[in-house]
Amino acid sequence: MKSYQKLTQPSACRLEEEGAAAAPTGHGKLAPCWVGSGLLVAAVLLSAITVWVLQQVSVGWPRPTLPPKCLLVPESHRFDCYPERHVVVTQQLCESRGCCFIESPPPAAGKRGVPWCFYPPDFPSYTLESLNETALGMVGLLVRREKAYYPRDIEMLRLDVEFETDTRLHIKITDAANPRYEVPLEVPQATKKAENPIYSLDFSWDRFGVVLRRRATGMVLLNTTVAPLIFADQFLQISTSLPSKFLYGLGEHRGPLLHSVDWSTLTLWARDVSPTESFNLYGAHPFYLLMEEGGDAHGVFLLNSNAMEVALQPAPGLTWRTIGGVLDFYIFLGPDPNTVIQQYQQVIGFPAMPPFWALGFHLCRWGYGSSNETWQTVRAMRNYQIPQDAQWNDIDYMDGYRDFTFDSQKFASLPSLVEDLRKHGQHYVMILDPGISSTNPNGSYWPFDEGLRRGLFLNTTQGQTLIGQVWPGFTAFADFSNSDTHQWWLENLQRFHAHVPFDGLWIDMNEPSNFMDGSEEGCPPGELDSPPYTPAVLGDSLSAKTVCASATQKASVHYNLHNLYGLMEAKATARALIQIRGKRPFVISRSTFPSQGRYSGHWLGDNRSQWKDMYYSIPGLLSFSLFGIPLVGADICGFSGSTSEELCTRWMQLGAFYPFARNHNTQNEKAQDPTVFSPAARTAMKNVLLTRYSLLPFLYTLFHRAHLQGDTVARPLFFEFPQDVTTLGLDRQFLWGRSLLVTPVLDPGVDSVTGYVPRGTWYDFYTGSSMNSSGEMVKMSAPLDHLNLHIREGAILPTQKPGTTSEATRRNPLCLIVALSSSDTAWGDLFWDDGESLDTFEQGSYSYVVFNVTQNIFTSTILHASTEATEVTIGTLSIFGVREPPSKVLLNGQEKPFSYLDNQVLTVSGLGLSLNQGFSLQWL
């Protein structure tokens, strides 16, 4: 609403980034370009008062008189002045904060609804007292002259604005006088000011705020004048209008990909709980992507690790509330969604390149009961020739659920199992928890004894080891903010690896999870465990099912570091694996934070064997693509509960296209690995895994692009079709890269699926038959043994004859699939290395090949070559969309036999070309 957009800088609304600001003179005058807004405000005010008077007359006088300024604010623009939960907000409570009170109809169950207590337009805020130019932007001083209502208001704030790049703006607000906790995350440091930014920035001086615009369209992307800035020691709040309702990100939560702005609140505080709508889940990602009208996109990242909540409202508007740290914002201007995510990862870091085998199929369950039973499952998979790259074990392999041990009775053959896996080109992954058993006789359990001796566990405020309870019973929690803990973690892993030479690690329970609230002694009184304001966390307490917020760590108090716990453990684990194996690490973590992709992948937690859980996995994996963690997937067929054959078949089809594909099951439920089902279901599962394995070269290349420049692997449709508004809410389909459309069945008892096919020509992956779409919903046949896959016109996909392991697949010939565009062109690429060595791209130990089609000529161009690629051959070329039957085909000028089908598919087989050998193929 315009009344919120008053800018009180005299003589001009705009302070551009080109020059320094003069100190303000005459605070309080309305800038000339906002006079029109004032006239509009007056008109709205008159009409609002008229409506209000009529309402009073209709219900009878008298009633408490409401200030006209309160009536001015439409419901959708009411920013909550009393966000505390479990409080009946009365007029007296509200007005004690200086806010407006208007009762509204009660909201639907589970909704917050219109706030009854909201800020008036003139609520006191900070004043921008000065603003001066710096080498990178500006520095300003903010002063609050009237106290707000949370304790320890910070009266003077420092504002730093850095125009870091033409598409990235950095705005930081912190205490001007005293240092505060800041997230220990490595971020790039700008060295010069952006020369041609695609954004402009305005300031409101008296009642401070910023207004950020996109230059090309004039679109207002941020306007923080809509509500007051509050910056107290343990309550920081800033609000903004949004240019549209199409907002994504802000994890980790379970729900649709597109967030509702209908009075919803998203809480960020890592918590161990089965994924449930509206709950704060395992990770914290204070980043959102917003689609603007016309297809532009921008992103906002708040670099803050404290407990926080983000409130959305239908204005549309957004409020950040956090209870510590500083307000450290990065804004990414895109202008398209793919570029926004790349720019975000330029700040938090690009994801690590996974080993090739990590992209194969993984199998696990809690409750195998023994290494022999685990081994039997592996043998059954081999017997049916079902692809599998990795076998996992859950906590039942351990002795008494203690880390770095294995049950010498039930898992006596575990070392032999691991050796057998290696002989068959397979890999072993095991689980680890950060809770270290503390109840063993002194001297009998080295991990605890040594950790205690070195002082490597979380402590209470009294300096004693904090004791909680997890699977082994009473436990201490490793302090991964301490670099000495990383060394201790490495030594523990080295000792265990000498007995069980694992290949990857699964780090669970690292929110950290605690079966107690706080500790065995509870938590002490004080404002860390009982802060003045507690965000809407599950359990209504920061210590609910985790450790005390007051617990002390090397880097800071747990109050500040809680959301970083999983990230810090992943960093220690990845580094340890590199030192132990000398190869790329494979780590899957439950708790995550921005930059996690540099060290681990993620699985979506303890889901259920239900159809809706299968659906929710798609927005889950797409959200983590936005967060820079491309190696992500859900437990295929569901973790808890028992699956059905139909559900598991459909889920295996979907899960075969998770970037990280693992079937995982809990104890005391029937088995759900592919071998236990009927021949028909088993065959359907095997075939879709073979399809995945055939696409591994394409998938691996996508991960290379993610590692190199921050491309997404699994991708929402709107990333490729941002101007198609139909795609903005789609989360039952997704793309691999820009060109492979996956349309799974997500409902029981059906033999067809309706999916959206964006405008253009799309080809059936299996047959090459084409479909021309104007951008429409299409009903597709989907019997139980079929997953719909379509290739976008203009793409070239490198595929490979599949084997039952990624290692076997890598030795097979390549088949290049060309999907011609309407102009008979196509493009694709392939990245190839040894699949496991560290930093192959950085060291030049790789091959990179570009494929291109124009004017009926296919060319393969080697841009970089290595010895690994000499062992790979290109066997077949399949070209979809060849409209006329060729009379002949020439390979490097020599005629070659070919086949041509009525559905316009040209196939040339038996090429036998080395991948390192450039070539051309022409059809006439």
Side-chain angles (χ1 to χ4, degrees):
M1 182 173 175
K2 293 291 185 188
S3 64
Y4 285 139
Q5 298 178 357
K6 290 185 292 186
L7 294 181
T8 52
Q9 184 185 345
S11 76
C13 272
R14 179 161 297 179
L15 178 63
E16 299 285 6
E17 56 278 6
E18 286 86 347
T25 57
H27 285 172
K29 293 181 181 178
L30 194 64
C33 54
W34 293 94
V35 170
S37 299
L39 294 174
L40 178 60
V41 166
V44 172
L45 178 58
L46 280 172
S47 61
I49 294 173
T50 302
V51 170
W52 178 76
V53 169
L54 290 174
Q55 286 175 337
Q56 302 308 310
V57 170
S58 69
V59 299
W61 299 90
R63 278 202 172 191
T65 303
L66 288 165
K69 66 182 180 182
C70 296
L71 295 168
L72 180 66
V73 185
E75 287 189 348
S76 65
H77 288 64
R78 293 178 183 171
F79 286 84
D80 198 345
C81 177
Y82 217 110
E84 283 83 353
R85 308 214 160 208
H86 311 300
V87 175
V88 177
V89 182
T90 64
Q91 183 165 354
Q92 181 180 6
L93 283 173
C94 178
E95 291 178 351
S96 71
R97 292 187 169 183
C99 291
C100 298
F101 183 83
I102 299 178
E103 293 186 31
S104 302
K111 290 274 188 182
R112 284 286 279 176
V114 181
W116 292 10
C117 184
F118 57 94
Y119 295 106
D122 60 354
F123 190 93
S125 186
Y126 286 86
T127 298
L128 180 56
E129 289 287 315
S130 65
L131 194 63
N132 297 297
E133 186 175 9
T134 66
L136 297 176
M138 306 165 195
V139 61
L141 178 66
L142 304 177
V143 177
R144 175 176 276 283
R145 307 203 183 282
E146 293 185 46
K147 289 269 187 189
Y149 44 85
Y150 284 105
R152 298 186 302 283
D153 253 359
I154 297 173
E155 296 180 8
M156 290 193 299
L157 301 175
R158 176 186 170 111
L159 168 70
D160 286 287
V161 178
E162 294 186 352
F163 306 102
E164 294 195 339
T165 73
D166 289 344
T167 56
R168 184 173 84 225
L169 175 65
H170 187 190
I171 300 176
K172 183 175 178 181
I173 303 173
T174 189
D175 189 332
N178 300 297
R180 291 177 62 79
Y181 164 77
E182 297 186 29
V183 182
L185 187 70
E186 296 174 16
V187 292
Q189 300 299 315
T191 56
K192 66 175 184 175
K193 185 176 174 181
E195 296 179 357
N196 296 294
I198 66 172
Y199 50 85
S200 64
L201 192 63
D202 304 334
F203 294 90
S204 171
W205 291 71
D206 195 0
R207 295 193 72 251
F208 165 74
V210 299
V211 178
L212 177 69
R213 286 182 178 83
R214 184 180 297 281
R215 284 189 185 275
T217 62
M219 180 79 71
V220 175
L221 308 184
L222 297 176
N223 178 359
T224 71
T225 68
V226 294
L229 166 66
I230 296 178
F231 201 122
D233 183 39
Q234 288 183 273
F235 185 88
L236 292 70
Q237 176 176 280
I238 190 167
S239 302
T240 181
S241 63
L242 299 172
S244 87
K245 64 180 181 181
F246 296 104
L247 183 141
Y248 313 84
L250 297 173
E252 183 177 5
H253 296 94
R254 172 168 163 157
L257 179 64
L258 175 63
H259 288 303
S260 167
V261 296
D262 187 18
W263 304 110
S264 61
T265 299
L266 302 164
T267 306
L268 282 65
W269 183 247
R271 168 64 194 252
D272 172 8
V273 61
S274 294
T276 305
E277 297 87 324
S278 82
F279 288 179
N280 50 295
L281 301 182
Y282 310 107
H285 292 272
F287 167 82
Y288 71 76
L289 171 74
L290 189 135
M291 293 300 298
E292 305 157 30
E293 185 178 338
D296 286 339
H298 70 273
V300 176
F301 172 42
L302 172 55
L303 179 51
N304 181 294
S305 62
N306 289 89
M308 83 171 68
E309 62 190 18
V310 183
L312 304 174
Q313 61 193 78
L318 177 150
T319 298
W320 299 93
R321 291 187 201 107
T322 182
I323 60 172
V326 301
L327 296 176
D328 192 1
F329 289 102
Y330 289 85
I331 301 100
F332 311 99
L333 276 291
D336 66 86
N338 284 296
T339 312
V340 169
I341 301 307
Q342 290 176 343
Q343 292 161 359
Y344 174 43
Q345 291 173 89
Q346 286 168 5
V347 170
I348 63 170
F350 296 127
M353 186 68 185
F356 197 88
W357 65 265
L359 307 185
F361 179 60
H362 301 249
L363 191 56
C364 184
R365 81 166 298 173
W366 179 20
Y368 283 123
S370 70
S371 49
N372 285 340
E373 187 178 336
T374 310
W375 208 338
Q376 287 170 10
T377 303
V378 174
R379 289 177 177 134
M381 291 286 286
R382 292 176 191 158
N383 183 52
Y384 288 114
Q385 296 184 300
I386 300 173
Q388 181 188 1
D389 258 81
Q391 180 60 51
W392 297 37
N393 276 124
D394 207 319
I395 57 174
D396 46 335
Y397 81 87
M398 299 178 183
D399 182 9
Y401 299 137
R402 291 186 295 271
D403 277 356
F404 313 114
T405 68
F406 67 95
D407 187 322
S408 60
Q409 302 299 315
K410 296 177 181 176
F411 281 81
S413 61
L414 183 57
S416 300
L417 165 60
V418 174
E419 183 182 357
D420 178 68
L421 289 168
R422 288 198 167 172
K423 286 179 180 176
H424 287 82
Q426 295 173 305
H427 298 81
Y428 182 70
V429 180
M430 66 183 197
I431 194 170
L432 279 179
D433 293 340
I436 303 297
S437 175
S438 62
T439 57
N440 308 278
N442 189 32
S444 66
Y445 184 50
W446 193 86
F448 178 75
D449 294 338
E450 191 64 15
L452 190 65
R453 186 183 72 81
R454 299 187 198 180
L456 304 179
F457 298 122
L458 271 64
N459 284 337
T460 66
T461 55
Q462 303 301 310
Q464 302 299 311
T465 301
L466 184 146
I467 301 298
Q469 186 176 10
V470 201
W471 296 112
F474 291 114
T475 56
F477 297 87
D479 177 10
F480 290 103
S481 76
N482 185 343
S483 59
D484 292 341
T485 307
H486 292 213
Q487 177 62 29
W488 163 85
W489 193 246
L490 166 65
E491 291 170 22
N492 277 292
L493 287 167
Q494 286 173 326
R495 291 160 67 102
F496 191 73
H497 192 268
H499 300 284
V500 181
F502 51 84
D503 299 292
L505 290 168
W506 168 25
I507 51 176
D508 191 14
M509 307 291 286
N510 54 353
E511 293 73 31
S513 176
N514 186 359
F515 296 164
M516 299 174 162
D517 290 349
S519 77
E520 63 175 343
E521 299 174 352
C523 296
E527 290 194 329
L528 292 178
D529 292 298
S530 302
Y533 180 82
T534 300
V537 297
L538 178 63
D540 301 317
S541 166
L542 297 183
S543 63
K545 299 303 178 225
T546 188
V547 299
C548 299
S550 59
T552 61
Q553 299 186 231
K554 179 70 178 290
S556 186
V557 288
H558 193 72
Y559 182 90
N560 293 326
L561 300 178
H562 174 82
N563 281 338
L564 298 173
Y565 194 91
L567 169 64
M568 290 176 167
E569 186 192 13
K571 193 172 182 178
T573 306
R575 286 177 172 176
L577 276 169
I578 290 171
Q579 287 190 254
I580 292 168
R581 300 181 69 247
K583 299 175 181 179
R584 276 176 233 165
F586 174 73
V587 182
I588 295 294
S589 176
R590 192 167 72 179
S591 189
T592 59
F593 190 79
S595 80
Q596 189 93 22
R598 296 172 60 188
Y599 311 106
S600 85
H602 173 63
W603 97 104
L604 297 173
D606 295 340
N607 61 3
R608 304 166 186 86
S609 296
Q610 297 177 4
W611 289 89
K612 73 171 184 176
D613 287 66
M614 176 165 61
Y615 152 67
Y616 276 128
S617 72
I618 300 177
L621 75 93
L622 295 178
S623 291
F624 274 87
S625 292
L626 271 56
F627 301 149
I629 307 175
L631 189 65
V632 59
D635 284 347
I636 298 170
C637 300
F639 173 69
S640 64
S642 281
T643 190
S644 67
E645 180 163 292
E646 181 191 14
L647 173 60
C648 199
T649 303
R650 293 302 194 190
W651 210 328
M652 284 289 293
Q653 290 168 345
L654 167 60
F657 286 85
Y658 293 156
F660 164 58
R662 180 186 71 161
N663 179 317
H664 180 42
N665 190 11
T666 191
Q667 60 180 353
N668 302 321
E669 301 288 354
K670 60 185 182 183
Q672 61 186 37
D673 60 88
T675 67
V676 303
F677 294 103
S678 71
R682 187 171 63 238
T683 300
M685 294 178 188
K686 173 181 176 178
N687 287 341
V688 78
L689 287 177
L690 288 170
T691 300
R692 176 190 179 88
Y693 274 61
S694 74
L695 284 160
L696 287 180
F698 175 58
L699 181 61
Y700 193 62
T701 301
L702 293 178
F703 269 96
H704 165 68
R705 299 176 73 86
H707 170 63
L708 185 64
Q709 61 192 36
D711 282 6
T712 52
V713 175
R715 191 171 301 179
L717 272 70
F718 74 81
F719 269 49
E720 291 300 319
F721 304 93
Q723 295 179 326
D724 183 347
V725 294
T726 305
T727 65
L728 296 179
L730 295 181
D731 59 9
R732 297 173 68 89
Q733 300 165 269
F734 58 96
L735 293 158
W736 266 13
R738 63 181 305 275
S739 52
L740 185 65
L741 177 62
V742 183
T743 307
V745 172
L746 302 174
D747 300 299
V750 298
D751 59 5
S752 66
V753 61
T754 300
Y756 186 72
V757 181
R759 177 181 293 275
T761 302
W762 295 81
Y763 296 90
D764 184 292
F765 171 80
Y766 309 99
T767 67
S769 296
S770 64
M771 167 171 49
N772 294 308
S773 174
S774 59
E776 57 200 295
M777 301 299 293
V778 175
K779 185 177 181 180
M780 309 173 195
S781 176
L784 191 59
D785 62 353
H786 185 72
L787 171 70
N788 278 278
L789 297 174
H790 290 88
I791 306 175
R792 184 181 180 182
E793 64 172 300
I796 299 177
L797 269 55
T799 72
Q800 207 158 17
K801 181 183 177 182
T804 54
T805 64
S806 62
E807 184 180 289
T809 301
R810 283 174 57 86
R811 296 192 290 264
N812 289 337
L814 289 163
C815 171
L816 306 178
I817 300 177
V818 179
L820 291 177
S821 69
S822 54
S823 57
D824 294 330
T825 60
W827 186 92
D829 62 344
L830 173 64
F831 175 82
W832 197 262
D833 61 11
D834 68 8
E836 63 179 12
S837 292
L838 295 163
D839 303 325
T840 54
F841 177 79
E842 292 76 5
Q843 296 176 6
S845 303
Y846 69 94
S847 291
Y848 182 67
V849 187
V850 168
F851 310 113
N852 194 60
V853 171
T854 183
Q855 297 181 330
N856 291 10
I857 300 175
F858 175 100
T859 57
S860 172
T861 306
I862 315 302
L863 296 188
H864 194 278
S866 69
T867 55
E868 284 79 14
T870 58
E871 301 166 10
V872 184
T873 60
I874 298 173
T876 305
L877 193 62
S878 290
I879 306 167
F880 299 168
V882 179
R883 286 188 284 271
E884 300 293 333
S887 59
K888 60 181 174 180
V889 170
L890 302 177
L891 173 64
N892 294 332
Q894 302 296 312
E895 198 164 334
K896 289 286 290 184
F898 64 90
S899 66
Y900 180 82
L901 302 178
D902 292 342
N903 64 347
Q904 302 183 344
V905 174
L906 168 65
T907 302
V908 186
S909 303
L911 295 176
L913 298 165
S914 169
L915 181 60
N916 268 358
Q917 176 185 349
F919 69 93
S920 66
L921 186 141
Q922 182 179 17
W923 58 99
L924 305 169

